[in-house]
Amino acid sequence: MNIMLFHSIYGLRPAVRRAADRLRGAGHEVWTPDLFDGRTFDTVEEGRALNEELGREEILKRAVLAAAPYSERGLVYAGFSLGAAVAQTLALGDKNARGLLLLHGTSDIAATASVDDLPVQLHVAEPDPFEPDDWLSAWYLQMRKAGADVEVYRYAGAGHLYTDPDLPDYDEEAAEATWHVALGFLETL
């Protein structure tokens, strides 16, 4: 599978590269575009400041430019938190998208979004301050309405970015469970 993997608000840190290597080890081709021009951050606030400085449109433009050369191959879009929101936006707009793997995040869905049984898998903490239950319920219904085939996995007690071993949110058990399920999902595409 061809996978476009987008980083979180922390930037293209070692955890994203390790995740890409894990996916490559399972036989996938993976690209990890750097939407922040090499800048990485130690706090959400620092990353959020750059994200706001660049703006949503610029971030999406960078993501589209990174994905465009590979779109015809049929990409699986994937991402961590902010990167998941970016991945979702691109997947819903790419008629060649093969799947969508969301780790720790979702995004708004345009009322006109329409896909043909796009396989979608979401992994998120329970509870997650950035993905509250009422938001996730509405998101799920909107994705189904758009035509996506959605699976949601919740991890009780895990922190928001629980798959990143370099952050305080890390939860080894939840992270390994996520990767086990996600790799199985990718094998079905």
Side-chain angles (χ1 to χ4, degrees):
M1 199 54 49
N2 297 302
I3 302 171
M4 186 66 52
L5 180 64
F6 295 103
H7 61 74
S8 75
I9 198 98
Y10 289 95
L12 186 55
R13 297 173 60 252
V16 178
R17 289 187 173 94
R18 286 191 298 268
D21 288 343
R22 185 177 212 155
L23 294 167
R24 288 182 189 110
H28 304 291
E29 190 162 357
V30 183
W31 295 273
T32 55
D34 186 347
L35 305 178
F36 286 176
D37 296 326
R39 295 177 67 184
T40 60
F41 303 98
D42 294 324
T43 68
V44 169
E45 294 76 23
E46 292 171 326
R48 192 173 286 147
L50 178 64
N51 187 48
E52 290 172 7
E53 177 185 319
L54 293 172
R56 177 178 166 83
E57 294 306 312
E58 178 63 21
I59 294 294
L60 288 175
K61 176 183 165 189
R62 292 175 180 200
V64 167
L65 289 172
Y70 309 102
S71 174
E72 289 299 318
R73 298 181 185 192
L75 289 171
V76 172
Y77 291 92
F80 297 95
S81 193
L82 168 69
V86 169
Q88 177 186 304
T89 301
L90 268 62
L92 292 178
D94 182 350
K95 65 180 175 38
N96 297 317
R98 299 278 308 273
L100 176 58
L101 176 60
L102 303 172
L103 303 164
H104 321 295
T106 61
S107 184
D108 296 331
I109 302 165
T112 58
S114 178
V115 293
D116 188 18
D117 291 322
L118 179 71
V120 177
Q121 194 173 84
L122 168 64
H123 297 267
V124 66
E126 183 178 29
D128 187 320
F130 299 104
E131 301 288 327
D133 290 344
D134 57 343
W135 166 264
L136 287 175
S137 294
W139 173 86
Y140 176 85
L141 293 173
Q142 290 173 325
M143 285 296 278
R144 295 288 298 156
K145 181 180 177 186
D149 181 14
V150 183
E151 298 176 353
V152 178
Y153 294 86
R154 304 291 306 269
Y155 299 88
H160 175 64
L161 272 167
Y162 64 83
T163 60
D164 188 331
D166 301 323
L167 294 176
D169 286 348
Y170 181 61
D171 182 313
E172 183 177 12
E173 184 177 334
E176 288 306 312
T178 294
W179 285 116
H180 175 76
V181 173
L183 289 169
F185 169 69
L186 293 169
E187 288 301 315
T188 69
L189 302 179

